Amino acid sequence: MPLITARYGKERVRVMRLARDGAHHVPRELTLSVMLTGDFDAAWTDGDNRACIATDSVKNIVNVTAAQNPTLDAEAFVTAVARVLIESYPQVASVSIEAEETRWLRHAVEGVAHDHTFTRDGNGFGYVGLVAERTGSTLRSGLRDFTFMKTTQSGWTGFVDDRYRTLPDTTDRIAATSMDATWSWSTKPAEYGIVNARILAILLRVFGTTYSRGVQDSMYRMGEAALAEVPELAEIAFIMPNRHYLPIDLRPFGLDNEGAVFQPTDEPCGRIEATIGRRN
């Protein structure tokens, strides 16, 4: 039986490149599918893998290319990946790459673009919840799946150290989350939309401009600030799962990774919840 068509490669290769110019950071996040065609038919017809490039090697090529090209835009970056594959392996006839970009928008704090705080483009959606009874009602507003990140000024240290722990202390990491935030009202604001936007601005200001000792630490101070500055609020509840960006070990390829190349991953993830309210 003839083998009509065949190709293989690596899907969902996720990589974050972080270009640093002092305190000013530029994140570039892609999810790539890299597919190869060429002189590989024997792997299908004869179980002969001698011409095959491991798909893990394809992933490594993406990561090494990322380390060597932190500032290329998406189009130039996929071109660079394809060039490495074609120049390195004569058995490769063609490389097909598709890449989806997670676009991070630089957040402005009080009208000034912040060096290392970002929100995801096309982000989240508003939430309203109402429970109405004959004796009264409770109205809640908020956000769902609002994703934001800062690329420095975050750590996680001093947690339980026992035989199950493998995570090292760190005082400088990427902190990112997809936040569900729900706030209830003690009094009706003059205009819900304006005050809701103000609450989000407060939350992002605290997150972006203060050092975070952990999601718990940031969450509490974000809620505390919103309650202090918006008198109409009764309480605010958060669900903030981690979106992890893990430094990729490039030492096997003779490269240092000084906070430039990360693997984005959100499964499994930490999930942190809290409700902050006013004192009675």
Side-chain angles (χ1 to χ4, degrees):
M1 295 291 182
L3 180 67
I4 305 301
T5 62
R7 68 175 188 164
Y8 80 106
K10 198 74 162 180
E11 281 199 313
R12 293 197 58 76
V13 182
R14 300 178 66 184
V15 63
M16 162 81 87
R17 292 171 292 146
L18 186 60
R20 299 171 182 256
D21 182 9
H24 185 81
H25 296 177
V26 179
R28 296 177 172 90
E29 181 176 347
L30 293 173
T31 301
L32 299 94
S33 170
V34 184
M35 299 298 293
L36 309 176
T37 60
D39 189 14
F40 308 118
D41 288 6
W44 278 267
T45 60
D46 302 317
D48 182 349
N49 297 323
R50 284 177 294 175
C52 285
I53 306 145
T55 63
D56 189 65
S57 298
V58 174
K59 176 204 69 179
N60 291 338
I61 285 168
V62 171
N63 292 337
V64 169
T65 306
Q68 294 170 336
N69 300 277
T71 63
L72 292 183
D73 58 25
E75 290 80 1
F77 178 70
V78 299
T79 301
V81 171
R83 185 183 303 115
V84 172
L85 286 161
I86 288 173
E87 292 179 354
S88 299
Y89 303 105
Q91 66 270 42
V92 172
S94 68
V95 179
S96 176
I97 303 177
E98 295 184 356
E100 296 179 355
E101 184 175 10
T102 299
R103 291 180 294 184
W104 292 100
L105 305 178
R106 191 172 303 279
H107 181 63
V109 177
E110 298 179 351
V112 179
H114 197 266
D115 280 334
H116 57 257
T117 303
F118 305 88
T119 59
R120 188 181 64 190
D121 192 15
N123 203 4
F125 50 92
Y127 167 83
V128 176
L130 175 67
V131 176
E133 300 173 340
R134 295 186 182 277
T135 56
S137 62
T138 301
L139 180 64
R140 294 182 174 88
S141 305
L143 294 161
R144 294 291 180 269
D145 195 31
F146 190 87
T147 301
F148 51 97
M149 169 181 72
K150 62 179 177 180
T151 52
T152 188
Q153 291 296 301
S154 173
W156 178 241
T157 64
F159 49 96
V160 171
D161 190 0
D162 62 11
R163 67 190 184 97
Y164 296 109
R165 172 178 161 174
T166 59
L167 195 67
D169 282 356
T170 180
T171 57
D172 190 8
R173 65 174 184 171
I174 292 177
T177 186
S178 296
M179 176 183 71
D180 289 356
T182 307
W183 46 89
S184 58
W185 304 95
S186 57
T187 58
K188 181 180 177 180
E191 189 169 339
Y192 284 108
I194 291 175
V195 179
N196 286 336
R198 183 181 171 207
I199 292 167
L200 176 59
I202 293 166
L203 300 181
L204 292 175
R205 184 196 73 215
V206 174
F207 175 82
T209 62
T210 62
Y211 184 82
S212 172
R213 297 176 180 85
V215 175
Q216 293 91 332
D217 173 51
S218 287
M219 178 186 290
Y220 179 79
R221 290 184 292 105
M222 290 160 66
E224 187 178 43
L227 289 162
E229 297 181 39
V230 182
E232 298 94 335
L233 284 185
E235 65 179 29
I236 183 166
F238 297 97
I239 301 172
M240 291 173 63
N242 293 124
R243 290 172 59 93
H244 296 293
Y245 289 83
L246 307 177
I248 295 173
D249 184 3
L250 298 173
R251 290 174 297 179
F253 314 105
L255 297 171
D256 292 327
N257 184 7
E258 299 296 335
V261 185
F262 300 84
Q263 180 184 10
T265 178
D266 46 25
E267 295 179 354
C269 65
R271 177 181 168 115
I272 298 92
E273 302 182 13
T275 300
I276 299 97
R278 299 187 184 279
R279 297 186 186 277
N280 293 328

